Amino acid sequence: MRGRRWGTALTLLLTTTALPTTGARTATAADAQPPPPAMPLARLFDNRAVSDNSRPGAADFDGAGRSLSAQDLAAAGWSPGSTPTLDGTRLALPRTAPGAPDNVVADGQAVAVRGRGEALTFLVAGTGGAATGTGTVRYRDGSHSTYELTAPDWRSGPMSTKAVALPHINAPDGQLSGAARLYAVTVALRPGREVTSVVLPEPATASGALHVFAVSVRDSGRGRTGSWAASTAGYRAVGPWTDRTLRLVVHSGVGGPRARIRIANTFAAAPVEIGAASIAVRGAGAAADRAPVPLTFGKGHTGVRVPAGAEAFSDPVAFTVPPGADLLVSIHLPGTVTAAPVHQEAAQLSYLSAEGSGNRTADTGGAAYPETMTYWPFLTGVDVAGGPGSVVALGDSITDGVKSTSGANRRWPDVLSRRFRAQHALPRYGVLNQGISANRIVTDRYPGDGVSTDTGGVSAQHRLERDVLAQPSARTVVIFEGINDVRWGTSADEVAAGLRALARRAHERGLRVVAATVAPCAGYPDCTPAVEARRQAVNAFVREGAGTVFDATLDFDAVLRDPQHPARLLPAYDSGDHLHPGDMGLTALGESVDLRALVSGRG
């Protein structure tokens, strides 16, 4: 198999799924063969991907003498033996010195993997082009499932889905400029089964070589529910901030007796040091109603170093999160931070301590926080213990709450969250707002790498894994996007194909999928008749997809449009710019949703 021809075709990274093997089939001679013995991944390593800059010829990742720089990996916080968390999965990096075998070229090897969860994450890269193949997961009960794994090429794969990018490539004649990439790719597991081993793919004939550095089971939320979340929308210049504390104001959805936070260093090129963190119920302004509760990381450490592109979860702490309350999450940054991953449109004021003021996470009062900000850096989630799971709202600026009253929590997912909490006939789901202003379904606004003023995020396709599938106990996704695609010239057929792909991937993970029609925007400067025609075509696809492509649909177009002028927002719902609903329109959206459509059926 290793003499196969390498292909050069580049395919975008699409998360694929392990589908249960079902139904009777005719036994073959291959069925009678015992499965290959499973071995720890490190014992299967047969390729050298990483070299020291002083000895670049000691590794040959791609068959042409090129390799990753050990110094670049260390600068990104990806040191040998470290365990970066990617999309909710802790992946153990090889404990190998530069020039030693540190990955395996997938060719049907059986890897010993243990765990019970909803997905399996691989740290991979392709050489010689994108690499694709089909593998097998084996379970303790004797069953198995198959999965398809695609590893984008380490030099030409998409930046928007990479786990980490490195600035150089080592070559026998010296160091080359140009980014190298590694990817975290996740596939689904059979629900409730315990994994015992994973058979790596045998790549297709025309595929590149598929390199596996790490693999681990992900449990994205047994016993937890998301109370609040925000998507990383870009990586922008800040400060510089030196030895300061962020005090971020977020609004809980569901409550619970224990809490943890998620800090993400998405899109970053360097690690970030978190010196300390705390959580409290908000009093007034930057003040807590009582002494903040300190948070720890990694089983008791007061701080944590978050590698480039990775995330960190705090240890669960005995802190009662009240439902529907403002919380203060304080994060001390002991070093100098010049750029940060941000959620730009918070519709909420948060606070920043003075330059050089040190660790103020324990402060009950707000006097140490003289500065304000209107975005959320680093913080992407607050989870609580217990609860039935979450509905995730995947959307653009209308979901993000642009033009809603700042600090009032009048986004339509806020309204939906209050409705779930106020009833008892259905599971009282949490509602996670993963809207990003200017976001699109098909194309990236922010390219996915580097410091940028663009905070429109990578596409819904490219953020689905991080923002939906990896969320704790996600049960249902509501997709409300498309207006930015049609406004910027994407055809209705392309938008429909993007929606279909999102629904397929979410269904493969067991989520219920609900799609909403696109709201009208006539009167906004670029909402031309051609845009309106594309919008109507997308909405026709959404309506026709109820019960086939989607489990249910929401007609947000019908809720918001002016019956006398259907291409326009109803004046009472218009914020004034003719694109974004104001508070009344957002309330109408949240009140229009049949909660049963988000609960029954799948999930």
Side-chain angles (χ1 to χ4, degrees), residues 22 68 85 278 501 529 603:
T22 58
L68 306 171
T85 298
S278 69

Side-chain angles (χ1 to χ4, degrees), residues 118-487:
E118 49 81 36
L120 193 68
T121 300
F122 297 82
L123 182 64
V124 296
T127 57
T132 299
T134 301
T136 304
V137 180
R138 300 191 181 278
Y139 304 93
R140 183 168 296 280
D141 64 2
S143 64
H144 66 277
S145 58
T146 59
Y147 65 91
E148 184 177 332
L149 183 66
T150 295
D153 186 79
W154 73 301
R155 298 187 66 183
S156 60
M159 295 296 275
S160 53
T161 54
K162 55 90 172 65
V164 66
L166 307 173
H168 307 105
I169 293 168
N170 283 351
D173 296 333
Q175 201 167 68
L176 308 174
S177 60
R181 297 101 154 150
L182 294 177
Y183 293 85
V185 183
T186 300
V187 299
L189 296 172
R190 297 185 76 174
R193 303 293 199 274
E194 183 179 355
V195 177
T196 58
S197 65
V198 177
V199 179
L200 298 180
E202 296 184 3
T205 302
S207 176
L210 198 164
H211 299 258
V212 180
F213 293 82
V215 58
S216 185
V217 175
R218 177 177 83 197
D219 175 5
S220 70
R222 284 185 298 167
R224 292 186 294 273
T225 294
S227 181
W228 173 88
S231 307
T232 302
Y235 190 66
R236 54 164 279 186
V238 297
W241 297 332
T242 300
D243 196 19
R244 306 177 82 171
T245 301
L246 309 174
R247 179 153 279 186
L248 307 177
V249 180
V250 302
H251 193 72
S252 67
V254 296
R258 295 178 66 81
R260 71 172 189 177
I261 67 168
R262 178 173 61 251
I263 293 173
N265 203 18
T266 318
F267 307 133
V272 63
E273 297 287 345
I274 306 299
S278 69
I279 188 168
V281 175
R282 186 188 189 191
D289 74 338
R290 64 191 65 182
V293 174
L295 298 170
T296 59
F297 301 85
K299 299 181 179 179
H301 298 282
T302 57
V304 65
R305 187 174 192 243
V306 189
E311 60 193 354
F313 292 87
S314 67
D315 302 324
V317 66
F319 171 79
T320 299
V321 174
D326 279 356
L327 306 176
L328 300 177
V329 176
S330 302
I331 300 169
H332 175 225
L333 303 172
T336 297
V337 174
T338 60
V342 301
H343 184 90
Q344 183 64 27
E345 298 290 342
Q348 174 67 62
L349 278 181
S350 289
Y351 303 91
L352 180 65
S353 71
E355 180 77 8
S357 57
N359 177 11
R360 309 309 297 256
T361 60
D363 286 20
T364 302
Y369 295 92
E371 297 183 29
T372 61
M373 64 180 78
T374 57
Y375 54 92
W376 288 307
F378 296 115
L379 184 68
T380 59
V382 177
D383 306 331
V384 297
S390 308
V391 173
V392 184
L394 183 68
D396 50 38
S397 56
I398 299 178
T399 298
D400 207 4
V402 171
K403 298 296 184 178
S404 68
T405 300
S406 179
N409 302 300
R410 293 178 179 172
R411 312 165 191 87
W412 72 263
D414 295 324
V415 176
L416 192 64
S417 179
R418 288 192 285 271
R419 291 184 60 211
F420 265 114
R421 297 197 305 272
Q423 56 80 47
H424 296 276
L426 300 170
R428 302 175 79 186
Y429 282 160
V431 178
L432 301 181
N433 188 335
Q434 300 287 22
I436 296 178
S437 179
N439 199 236
R440 303 171 185 168
I441 293 171
V442 178
T443 56
D444 300 322
R445 271 293 302 256
Y446 170 65
D449 191 68
V451 178
S452 174
T453 58
D454 197 317
T455 54
V458 300
S459 71
Q461 300 278 1
H462 290 157
R463 67 188 183 95
L464 182 72
E465 184 67 47
R466 176 175 61 248
D467 291 346
V468 178
L469 303 180
Q471 294 301 306
S473 299
R475 304 291 188 230
T476 300
V477 58
V478 179
I479 306 170
F480 178 34
E481 290 211 45
I483 189 62
N484 296 319
D485 296 83
V486 298
R487 284 175 52 226

Side-chain angles (χ1 to χ4, degrees), residues 12 57 78-79 87 134 138 269 274 306 335 360 536 543 582 602:
L12 286 180
W78 288 57
S79 302
D87 296 336
T134 301
R138 300 191 181 278
I274 306 299
V306 189
R360 309 309 297 256
Q536 293 287 3
R543 293 182 178 110
R602 289 181 187 267

